Amino acid sequence: MLFNGLSRRRFAKLAAWSALGISAKSAKAAKSPSSAAIGLSKSRLATFPSHFRWGTATSAYQIEGAVNEDGRGPSIWDRFVHLKGKVIDQSTADVANDHYHRYKEDVQLIKQLGAKAYRFSIAWPRVFPEGTGAPNPKGLDFYNRLLDELLANGIEPFATLYHWDLPQALQDRYGGWRSRDTSRAFADYAGYVTRHISDRVKSIFTINECARLVQAGFGTGIDAPGLTLPQKEINQVRHHVALGHGLAVQAVRANGRHGTKVGPAENIEVCIPAIETPANVRAAEIATRELNAGYLTAILEGKYTDGFLAYAGANAPKFTPEDLKAISSPIDFVGLNVYVPNQYVVAGENGNPFALLPFAPTFPHMDSNWLRIGPEAMYWAPRHVAKLWNVKSIYITENGTSAADEVGADGKVYDIDRIMYLRNYLTQLHRATSEGVPVQGYFVWSLMDNFEWSDGYEKRFGLYHVDFQTQRRTPKLSTSFYREVIRRNAVV
């Protein structure tokens, strides 16, 4: 009867305190010891290289809103979200975070984090409403204002040219990425933008997540333009996206100011040795090369692997030697969007170079079911890229997690699950940099809650909570965590 009314959790806490010789009252009243007292000197923290860039990231369509203002043309996502049943909560990004009007406020959010870098994307239909033809001066004016605001606040801008918002006019005219005409149009757009922003932007990413935009937009149809094509056409779409990247690299080179750097931002298929033995590590490397053969491998090697072509067979894309030469135009860095372990790998048997292991139903995940928790992905993704292709400069262009993010009675969001996720992934990133893997910077996804594509506003990835009715931005506990990481340049 002694424990009636006492929860097991409360009892366990009291028992733990008792074992340490601390009463419940004294534990509550005890002051937190200083970092020095518990051995958290700077020398013992997982410190990153002195030049390491800490940043955050967003994309145009997910935050800007103002879809019909100042001459912006419609994108494939504008049409897609207004189709019934395409977005889980039936929402649209017509307003989103209203960043188009609130960009100065949002730049201050970045500054308050202490972040010195910001990765944003430029909306192609805002600059070229028809995809090609006459540019829209008011569209570029917005990005000029944003860039000036960032620089005035000591924040280095990193621009992404394409984050999925293809002008609808190109979808209607050419079938979008089903045609190499879109690849050429993208290069023209890239050259125009670079010519006007490279006086202030020194790092430009071409295309964000080819793997996602191709498979989800043209394979499963869950993303815009919502197509479900046969595999041969999917592979051709991927080839045209790769070609668009390569032609855009050439356009950036031709139009950028001296010192302008360019590269892709890709969510590669991250292959992890299930157990770290030499044989399994080698198998994971081979798997990384082959499972990314349709895009990143082609960019870095200038060819499609024999394995990829044999597997594709009659579904292989049509291409020319000139295509491959353009696709493999020299790049300055590789951006990696790392969220999950895509594959756990062991050495193969019977002549197979690797074997992919199944995920058990009990494998842990975050608020989004697809977001499996595998911090080691943050080590192996950049390590493989550096070793396989001798890449000398890598950025983690996205990493973060959705969380339930319930607002407490005090109006605050105590997102300790997000902190857990980030801390563990950053620990693995530190393992990589401490071993000499050339990661130059990290951009957390995302600055603030936003429109999460087919999930609408149901999933929240931001460091800042957004009330989409009032547009109020409120820092979550994770902002304090990330601010401290930046301040110490270390995992905390």
Side-chain angles (χ1 to χ4, degrees):
M1 297 298 291
L2 176 65
F3 303 117
N4 282 355
L6 184 65
S7 71
R8 292 187 181 187
R9 181 177 297 179
R10 176 68 173 160
F11 173 72
K13 185 181 291 186
L14 289 171
W17 284 340
S18 178
L20 292 172
I22 305 172
S23 69
K25 183 176 180 180
S26 65
K28 214 172 198 179
K31 293 182 179 180
S32 298
S34 67
S35 60
I38 55 176
L40 291 181
S41 65
K42 187 174 182 179
S43 62
R44 296 187 63 179
L45 292 173
T47 305
F48 285 81
S50 59
H51 62 273
F52 198 81
R53 291 179 174 95
W54 294 102
T56 184
T58 64
S59 86
Y61 190 71
Q62 293 179 269
I63 65 171
E64 284 182 3
V67 296
N68 297 310
E69 290 189 38
D70 292 336
R72 178 189 180 276
S75 75
I76 55 174
W77 272 94
D78 292 305
R79 179 172 294 183
F80 186 77
V81 299
H82 285 276
L83 298 175
K84 186 176 181 180
K86 297 300 184 182
V87 179
I88 288 175
D89 59 5
Q90 304 300 308
S91 63
T92 74
D94 291 356
V95 176
N97 298 58
D98 197 28
H99 174 73
Y100 191 77
H101 301 109
R102 299 171 181 265
Y103 70 93
K104 288 187 177 182
E105 174 187 349
D106 294 336
V107 169
Q108 291 306 307
L109 301 183
I110 303 170
K111 187 175 182 179
Q112 289 163 21
L113 281 174
K116 297 298 184 182
Y118 176 54
R119 178 179 173 240
F120 68 101
S121 79
I122 295 169
W124 187 352
R126 202 176 286 286
V127 180
F128 285 92
E130 297 297 317
T132 59
N136 171 34
K138 289 185 177 180
L140 197 60
D141 284 348
F142 167 69
Y143 298 105
N144 283 326
R145 295 193 298 272
L146 174 61
L147 290 174
D148 291 344
E149 190 70 16
L150 289 166
L151 292 171
N153 284 276
I155 300 165
E156 181 181 2
F158 287 69
T160 303
L161 294 172
Y162 185 74
H163 200 126
W164 309 351
D165 46 359
L166 184 76
Q168 182 64 46
L170 295 182
Q171 187 67 34
D172 295 340
R173 194 182 316 151
Y174 302 135
W177 292 107
R178 298 174 77 176
S179 169
R180 63 177 53 235
D181 288 327
T182 295
S183 308
R184 288 190 284 263
F186 178 61
D188 292 341
Y189 153 71
Y192 175 83
V193 170
T194 300
R195 193 158 58 249
H196 287 83
I197 70 170
S198 61
D199 59 330
R200 290 154 293 167
V201 179
K202 296 305 179 186
S203 300
I204 296 176
F205 298 99
T206 54
I207 293 172
N208 183 77
E209 293 191 0
C210 168
R212 163 79 185 259
L213 78 91
V214 171
Q215 187 58 35
F218 298 88
T220 62
I222 63 171
D223 283 357
L227 302 179
T228 53
L229 302 178
Q231 190 60 49
K232 183 176 181 64
E233 292 189 53
I234 294 172
N235 286 339
Q236 196 65 50
V237 166
R238 184 182 295 105
H239 176 75
H240 291 152
V241 174
L243 180 60
H245 155 82
L247 294 175
V249 169
Q250 296 177 355
V252 171
R253 294 264 186 254
N255 292 274
R257 303 285 184 95
H258 178 72
T260 305
K261 296 182 178 181
V262 62
E266 180 62 351
N267 58 328
I268 69 167
E269 195 81 1
V270 182
C271 301
I272 298 170
I275 303 170
E276 283 190 39
T277 65
N280 289 344
V281 170
R282 181 57 187 149
E285 292 170 351
I286 297 170
T288 297
R289 180 173 180 264
E290 292 297 339
L291 297 185
N292 293 286
Y295 189 68
L296 190 62
T297 306
I299 289 172
L300 295 170
E301 296 186 16
K303 63 181 181 180
Y304 290 119
T305 67
D306 293 340
F308 171 76
L309 294 175
Y311 181 79
N315 292 327
K318 294 180 180 179
F319 58 91
T320 67
E322 290 74 21
D323 287 352
L324 294 178
K325 185 176 180 180
I327 288 169
S328 59
S329 297
I331 55 178
D332 299 296
F333 50 70
V334 170
L336 298 174
N337 294 0
V338 181
Y339 290 92
V340 300
N342 297 94
Q343 304 289 347
Y344 284 94
V345 181
V346 294
E349 299 176 349
N350 302 319
N352 295 314
F354 59 86
L356 307 179
L357 304 183
F359 282 90
T362 52
F363 199 95
H365 61 80
M366 297 299 290
D367 185 49
S368 299
N369 287 336
W370 61 267
L371 216 167
R372 300 186 184 108
I373 306 170
E376 59 271 32
M378 189 61 85
Y379 169 76
W380 290 104
R383 183 186 189 275
H384 287 331
V385 169
K387 183 176 180 183
L388 284 169
W389 296 296
N390 197 31
V391 174
K392 300 298 187 184
S393 181
I394 296 170
Y395 288 97
I396 303 302
T397 35
E398 289 183 23
N399 169 248
T401 183
S402 60
D405 289 346
E406 296 179 358
V407 180
D410 59 0
K412 297 180 180 180
V413 176
Y414 298 100
D415 54 339
I416 56 174
D417 49 351
R418 179 173 289 107
I419 293 173
M420 173 278 297
Y421 175 96
L422 294 175
R423 179 184 289 119
N424 280 280
Y425 275 69
L426 289 175
T427 297
Q428 290 292 322
L429 182 59
H430 175 262
R431 178 189 176 194
T433 59
S434 68
E435 292 179 9
V437 178
V439 180
Q440 309 297 322
Y442 169 92
F443 296 83
V444 68
W445 185 272
S446 178
L447 173 64
M448 55 188 166
D449 299 334
N450 54 40
F451 180 80
E452 280 295 333
W453 309 109
S454 57
D455 282 329
Y457 300 101
E458 291 289 303
K459 300 300 180 185
R460 294 177 175 269
F461 280 77
L463 297 181
Y464 289 90
H465 179 273
V466 178
D467 182 328
F468 291 101
Q469 298 301 314
T470 65
Q471 291 297 339
R472 182 182 179 188
R473 283 83 155 128
T474 305
K476 304 174 188 176
L477 187 61
S478 56
T479 62
S480 298
F481 167 78
Y482 193 49
R483 186 183 301 114
E484 195 64 14
V485 167
I486 294 170
R487 188 182 72 82
R488 299 198 200 186
N489 193 36
V491 182
V492 296

